[in-house]
């Protein structure tokens, strides 16, 4: 089997890759430059002992979080589907599809009111007086115009072509 080593640009950097044929496709395997490879000793974790109970808890957590069925709306790539619809509409010179309306509008949160409420709750929990007063409004300082400086004389030089 023949392979080729290639340089290519990706994310604004020059990269190194290995090209090979697999069935009817050219496959690119990303490789690393020598300065991008760390010594395995630097990433080797220290020798730790793990109890049987910790192993059993880890396995139970993995079993609880494992999901065999990868079907459903949370596993649907809606962006790619919408992009494909737009490309198809442009290809056939049809009007672009309408963007779906969000199911429920986003809530606008008043951050200052939330902060005041949080401060009141903290003071009440400490047993302090819970009166919160409005912050004084800042007044913008009036900017003074920049001083004009005398223009410097410059001499024009002629560039000669060789």
């Amino acid at each position: 089997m023949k392979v080729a080593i290639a340089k290519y640009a990706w994310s604004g950097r020059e990269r190194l890759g290995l090209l090979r044929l697999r069935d009817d496709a050219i496959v690119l395997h990303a490789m690393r430059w020598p300065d991008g490879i760390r010594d395995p000793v630097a990433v080797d974790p220290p020798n730790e002992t793990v109890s049987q109970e910790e192993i059993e808890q880890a396995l139970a957590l993995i079993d609880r979080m494992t999901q065999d069925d990868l079907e459903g709306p949370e596993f649907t790539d809606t962006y790619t589907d919408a992009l494909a619809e737009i490309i198809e509409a442009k290809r056939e010179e049809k009007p672009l599809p309408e963007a779906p309306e969000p199911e429920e509008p986003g809530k606008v949160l008043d951050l200052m009111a939330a902060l005041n409420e949080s401060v009141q709750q903290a003071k009440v929990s400490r047993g302090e007086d819970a009166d919160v007063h409005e912050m004084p409004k800042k007044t913008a300082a009036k900017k003074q115009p920049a001083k004009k400086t005398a223009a410097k004389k410059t001499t024009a030089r002629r560039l000669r072509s060789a």
Side-chain angles (χ1 to χ4, degrees):
M1 173 188 292
K2 291 184 180 182
V3 297
I5 303 297
K7 289 182 183 178
Y8 61 99
W10 182 31
S11 298
R13 295 186 61 199
E14 185 177 59
R15 312 250 178 187
L16 191 62
L18 180 126
L19 293 170
R20 69 181 181 100
L21 288 175
R22 184 172 185 182
D23 298 328
D24 291 334
I26 298 175
V27 179
L28 172 68
H29 296 277
M31 298 173 64
R32 300 212 182 265
W33 294 103
D35 63 347
I37 300 173
R38 292 191 282 175
D39 184 15
V41 175
V43 295
D44 187 25
N47 291 335
E48 295 289 331
T49 57
V50 181
S51 69
Q52 187 62 33
E53 182 183 345
E54 289 175 315
I55 293 173
E56 289 171 4
Q57 287 177 349
L59 291 173
L61 177 64
I62 291 170
D63 287 341
R64 196 168 52 244
M65 295 181 76
T66 300
Q67 187 171 1
D68 293 329
D69 182 21
L70 298 180
E71 300 294 326
E74 64 270 11
F75 298 109
T76 304
D77 185 2
T78 57
Y79 176 80
T80 303
D81 294 343
L83 188 60
E85 287 180 26
I86 291 171
I87 291 170
E88 190 63 31
K90 285 189 173 195
R91 182 182 296 143
E92 296 175 1
E93 296 180 359
K94 293 181 178 176
L96 296 178
E98 292 291 322
E101 290 294 323
E103 293 176 8
E104 57 183 60
K107 293 182 180 179
V108 177
L109 180 65
D110 183 1
L111 293 178
M112 202 60 193
L115 178 62
N116 284 337
E117 183 179 337
S118 174
V119 169
Q120 282 181 333
Q121 289 175 355
K123 286 186 174 185
V124 167
S125 69
R126 290 191 306 254
E128 298 177 13
D129 181 20
D131 290 336
V132 178
H133 303 286
E134 287 292 319
M135 302 262 312
K137 302 251 189 235
K138 290 184 179 180
T139 56
K142 198 171 194 179
K143 291 187 177 182
Q144 297 294 328
K147 293 182 180 179
K148 292 183 180 178
T149 58
K152 294 182 182 179
K153 290 185 178 179
T154 59
T155 58
R157 295 183 185 179
R158 289 187 181 179
L159 298 175
R160 295 183 200 179
S161 59

